[in-house]
Amino acid sequence: MVFRRAFALSSVAILLLSTGLLAQNAQRPQQRKPSDAEKKEREALVKIADDVVAGQPAPNDLSLAWGHEDILKALNNKEYVPFTVSIDTSKVTAGTLSLYWRVVSKDVPAPPAQGGKKDDKKKDVKADYPWEDVGTVTVTPGQTAPVRISRSFMVAPGNYDLVVIAKEPIPEKAPKNAPRQKTSAIKQPVSIPDLWNGEFATSSVIVAERIDQLNEPLTPQQQTERPYAMGTMEIVPVASTKFTKKAELQTFVLIYNAKTDSNTGKPDVFVEYNFYTKQAGGEKFFNKTNPQSLNAQTLPKDFDLAAGYQLQSGQAVPLASFPEADYRLEIKVTDKISNKSLTRDVNFSVSGS
């Protein structure tokens, strides 16, 4: 039996998504000259990050927690990595938090800490990290539900530690005996695959709460704060893969390095979606949706991988007919020209409420 209500998320606007848009997403907006207070705040954030990288215990006054990362192909042999963390705003007393994130390579020696080492001219030695950024987050103190925060970075393939700091800002006129600002820090290992080696591959499978069409691309500052926006499309990832029967499972995946037909110049990719129910000691096939074909007959006439256009697949599957259980969605992607296949899994659960 094949699900009849499942539908593909593809459209011309999404299918023509360019790798350049992902790279533009990760570009930092033009920075104005920071004030003395902002410089002081950044120095405090950098010092905390240096301590965490050095192995000191990380503070966690705000219950900062790791969510997940997604990995997509960008430009210049680099990958675009949007990520999500959450904080407990019931523990926040200020309406604004400082946010700092740093990517440290685990494959090369770490650069010197920014706060302590000097060169012969007694000037600070600035560390050179693959990615480093700072910003602010507006929050509503006292909320009971965790607040999700998404940001991004762009790096070459490799193994990294991502350090994220969330901190209440230093008051401009703080008394000497003022309590320490609430601070949280986490260090998360992240492995970035090489999507530029010519091998058949995909991005992460993004499980979406929804996919919105935007009237126009976001500004650089907006993109920094909404890293899942790509051109005129914005994905809102789910907070959890625990669904009710009233929900839909929406997936989005980009397909890379498919071969093209010498006559049509188009790829020929076949995507299958198979669902399995998890059971004690194994799993059982449950159902499948109609497969998708991405080829000369289904793609736009001007679709051109060499020009940076990207293959995309995705489906939105209503879960009303799913019995309450744990499931695995197996997405099988086949390049029919090179005769290569790969699979990607999405684990999720369905409950009655």
Side-chain angles (χ1 to χ4, degrees):
M1 173 181 172
V2 175
F3 287 116
R4 296 301 178 188
R5 293 185 61 199
F7 58 91
L9 298 173
S10 59
S11 68
V12 171
I14 296 176
L15 281 166
L16 298 186
L17 178 67
S18 167
T19 55
L21 297 176
L22 300 181
Q24 292 167 15
N25 241 35
Q27 300 303 317
R28 302 174 182 86
Q30 185 175 0
Q31 298 293 325
R32 59 175 174 79
K33 186 177 180 179
S35 65
D36 290 342
E38 289 170 332
K39 289 180 181 178
K40 185 177 180 181
E41 182 67 20
R42 187 187 185 284
E43 289 171 358
L45 291 163
V46 167
K47 176 62 167 60
I48 296 166
D50 288 344
D51 292 343
V52 171
V53 172
Q56 296 188 24
N60 201 8
D61 304 324
L62 304 173
S63 298
L64 180 66
W66 178 253
H68 72 283
E69 81 278 2
D70 289 296
I71 302 171
L72 303 91
K73 194 176 185 180
L75 284 177
N76 301 322
N77 296 314
K78 291 187 176 182
E79 322 300 356
Y80 177 65
V81 188
F83 66 91
T84 301
V85 296
S86 65
I87 59 169
D88 183 355
T89 52
S90 68
K91 300 179 179 180
V92 175
T93 55
T96 301
L97 292 177
S98 299
L99 192 72
Y100 173 89
W101 59 108
R102 174 193 299 178
V103 179
V104 181
S105 175
K106 298 167 71 173
D107 300 327
V108 298
Q114 294 188 31
K117 295 188 178 183
K118 309 282 184 176
D119 63 13
D120 293 337
K121 297 181 180 180
K122 306 300 182 182
K123 294 181 180 179
D124 289 334
V125 176
K126 188 181 186 305
D128 185 17
Y129 297 104
W131 192 273
E132 183 185 31
D133 212 340
V134 64
T136 59
V137 179
T138 301
V139 297
T140 302
Q143 287 184 334
T144 56
V147 171
R148 292 190 294 159
I149 303 167
S150 293
R151 294 294 186 267
S152 67
F153 58 90
M154 190 167 64
V155 295
N159 298 300
Y160 301 90
D161 280 328
L162 171 63
V163 178
V164 183
I165 313 291
K167 176 182 172 295
E168 292 185 328
I170 301 171
E172 290 189 15
K173 297 181 179 179
K176 291 184 179 180
N177 60 348
R180 178 180 63 85
Q181 291 79 38
K182 292 181 180 178
T183 303
S184 283
I186 55 174
K187 183 170 72 172
Q188 177 69 25
V190 181
S191 294
I192 309 300
D194 187 354
L195 301 176
W196 288 90
N197 59 9
E199 294 295 323
F200 190 50
T202 74
S203 69
S204 304
V205 178
I206 302 176
V207 182
E209 180 179 311
R210 65 181 190 274
I211 299 178
D212 298 332
Q213 292 296 314
L214 305 176
N215 292 329
E216 59 184 10
L218 302 183
T219 66
Q221 182 59 49
Q222 289 173 326
Q223 288 180 336
T224 297
E225 299 172 358
R226 295 158 61 182
Y228 284 89
M230 308 168 194
T232 57
M233 177 186 74
E234 182 170 16
I235 301 173
V236 180
V238 296
S240 169
T241 54
K242 296 180 179 179
F243 299 100
T244 68
K245 294 171 72 68
K246 297 179 181 179
E248 289 184 334
L249 176 70
Q250 297 189 58
T251 56
F252 176 89
V253 63
L254 292 166
I255 302 164
Y256 303 126
N257 307 324
K259 302 299 182 183
T260 56
D261 183 89
S262 58
N263 294 319
T264 66
K266 300 288 191 293
D268 189 357
V269 173
F270 191 68
V271 188
E272 301 167 86
Y273 291 79
N274 298 309
F275 292 85
Y276 297 85
T277 306
K278 294 186 178 181
Q279 300 175 333
E283 58 183 22
K284 181 180 179 181
F285 176 78
F286 173 64
N287 218 325
K288 63 182 179 180
T289 65
N290 291 316
Q292 296 176 357
S293 293
L294 304 172
N295 54 34
Q297 287 71 47
T298 61
L299 293 170
K301 290 184 178 180
D302 60 348
F303 184 88
D304 186 356
L305 289 177
Y309 297 160
Q310 297 192 54
L311 282 177
Q312 167 262 322
S313 180
Q315 292 195 338
V317 180
L319 299 176
S321 63
F322 282 63
E324 296 183 29
D326 294 328
Y327 294 89
R328 178 177 68 89
L329 165 61
E330 177 189 83
I331 303 175
K332 184 177 180 181
V333 187
T334 300
D335 182 349
K336 299 178 74 172
I337 296 175
S338 67
N339 198 30
K340 292 183 178 180
S341 294
L342 52 82
T343 60
R344 298 290 183 260
D345 295 327
V346 176
N347 296 303
F348 68 99
S349 64
V350 177
S351 64
S353 60

